[in-house]
Amino acid sequence: MSAKSSSCIDVLYREPAGRSAIHIVDAPTANSLLSQDEAIEVVRQCFADLDSGLSIGFPPLSGHGSDKATRFGVKSGYDGRRQLPGLKVGSYWPHNTDRGLPNHGSTTLLLDDATGFPLALVSATYLNALRTAASDAVAVDLLARKNASVLAVFGTGHQAFHEAIAISRVRSLSRVFVCGRDTGRAAALAQRLSAAGLDAEAASADKALEQADMVVTATASRAPLFSECAVKPGTHVSAMGADGPGKQELPAALAARAELFADALDQTFSIGEFQYLAETEERDRVTAIGSVINGRSRGRSSDDAITIYDSSGISLQDLAVAGYVFEKALAAGLTQFVDV
């Protein structure tokens, strides 16, 4: 949706004279306004816009609270499609479970492009799960073999569920294998996926990789989850867990014999999966996914090729999804407009 021609932001938002106010899109409203299919298309477009130069991403920042086990990240950018600058704060407080709260939280702040004042605050914890899964689904759609149907999921948390659901929207899945260090959690996720309509079971890494032609990793690992030789020719791997220094889910030897893709080239080498690619010639092998979407670069070269996509998560996913939800909320009169 073009901000100039049809955005309801342009029509409905006016900064009241003499005071500062902001729209609030709370969690129930935001969650109700975005489907996984919509997230996939919004994220696909934001990658294309980043590649074309319409949108811009800025370097991420990170910090922590008084407990150094906590962390938060700030990702900012400019969504040129909707003419919205802004940022997302994503937090991880590992002891929230003891308080009956989610460990992860996300909030997106959209700014008015004309004034720089806050325009909208969008609850984004659920949106973050959908946008992350959407990135990996976009990569599967572009890079996995067209007849790929067996998925191996590494990880047993909330995000792993969304990953499998999103990938099922772009490929017809005949089987889903769930791999995790905790067999009970793996079995529970497989049961949850089965309840959602997928044929899923918990399995060892070796069993899953022996049959899978698609792999998604959704862990906080700092070491390879499986051996390089376990991945068979023709497999596509979407890795989303590496989002900070020292994180790694895949063996470096696998990258050496695979075709490599990423959401953002600068970020993949600093906090993403491809941190271990130190040499310039190695880094030159990585292709931005937006370039594939725009037809400037090729995707998979053959049915036997192994493809790897690093989804470290970029600000433009957050801004595009939050802007999309905000526009829908404005049009439906569902925002709260409050003084700040």
Side-chain angles (χ1 to χ4, degrees), residues 81-105:
R81 182 162 296 271
R82 295 173 181 81
Q83 296 187 320
L84 285 175
L87 58 90
K88 183 199 76 173
V89 178
S91 62
Y92 175 70
W93 255 242
H95 303 302
N96 275 1
T97 303
D98 302 333
R99 301 181 176 92
L101 298 171
N103 290 342
H104 292 272

Side-chain angles (χ1 to χ4, degrees), residues 15 22 24 81 144 152 204 218 270 338:
E15 180 70 19
I22 187 171
I24 304 293
R81 182 162 296 271
S204 67
S270 59
V338 299

Side-chain angles (χ1 to χ4, degrees), residues 204-245:
S204 67
D206 287 343
K207 178 182 178 180
L209 292 173
E210 184 179 320
Q211 300 183 55
D213 36 34
M214 294 171 289
V215 178
V216 62
T217 57
T219 75
S221 181
R222 291 181 174 270
L225 299 170
F226 44 79
S227 66
E228 173 266 338
C229 59
V231 180
K232 65 185 184 182
T235 302
H236 169 74
V237 182
S238 280
M240 60 71 54
D243 60 356

Side-chain angles (χ1 to χ4, degrees), residues 39-242:
I40 289 171
E41 292 313 308
V42 171
V43 167
R44 189 192 308 269
Q45 187 64 66
C46 92
F47 288 147
D49 291 343
L50 175 63
D51 176 69
S52 70
L54 179 62
S55 296
I56 308 167
F58 303 115
L61 301 172
S62 62
H64 58 77
S66 58
D67 181 351
K68 291 187 178 180
T70 64
R71 69 175 187 268
F72 64 89
V74 180
K75 294 183 176 181
S76 61
Y78 170 70
D79 177 0
R81 182 162 296 271
R82 295 173 181 81
Q83 296 187 320
L84 285 175
L87 58 90
K88 183 199 76 173
V89 178
S91 62
Y92 175 70
W93 255 242
H95 303 302
N96 275 1
T97 303
D98 302 333
R99 301 181 176 92
L101 298 171
N103 290 342
H104 292 272
S106 293
T107 305
T108 301
L109 173 66
L110 303 176
L111 304 178
D112 175 41
D113 193 37
T115 67
F117 291 152
L119 172 60
L121 199 62
V122 182
S123 177
T125 299
Y126 179 70
L127 304 188
N128 187 74
L130 293 191
R131 72 72 145 153
T132 302
S135 174
D136 290 318
V138 168
V140 165
D141 195 30
L142 291 168
L143 302 174
R145 300 196 322 268
K146 297 303 180 185
N147 62 348
S149 66
V150 180
L151 173 67
V153 177
F154 284 79
T156 58
H158 183 64
Q159 188 60 45
F161 171 81
H162 287 287
E163 297 288 323
I165 295 300
I167 290 170
S168 76
R169 306 305 298 172
V170 298
R171 287 295 185 275
S172 179
L173 299 182
S174 62
R175 195 73 170 153
V176 179
F177 294 104
V178 179
C179 309
R181 291 175 299 178
D182 186 320
T183 56
R185 285 173 60 91
L189 177 56
Q191 185 175 17
R192 186 182 176 194
L193 290 170
S194 295
L198 299 179
D199 186 354
E201 68 172 84
S204 67
D206 287 343
K207 178 182 178 180
L209 292 173
E210 184 179 320
Q211 300 183 55
D213 36 34
M214 294 171 289
V215 178
V216 62
T217 57
T219 75
S221 181
R222 291 181 174 270
L225 299 170
F226 44 79
S227 66
E228 173 266 338
C229 59
V231 180
K232 65 185 184 182
T235 302
H236 169 74
V237 182
S238 280
M240 60 71 54

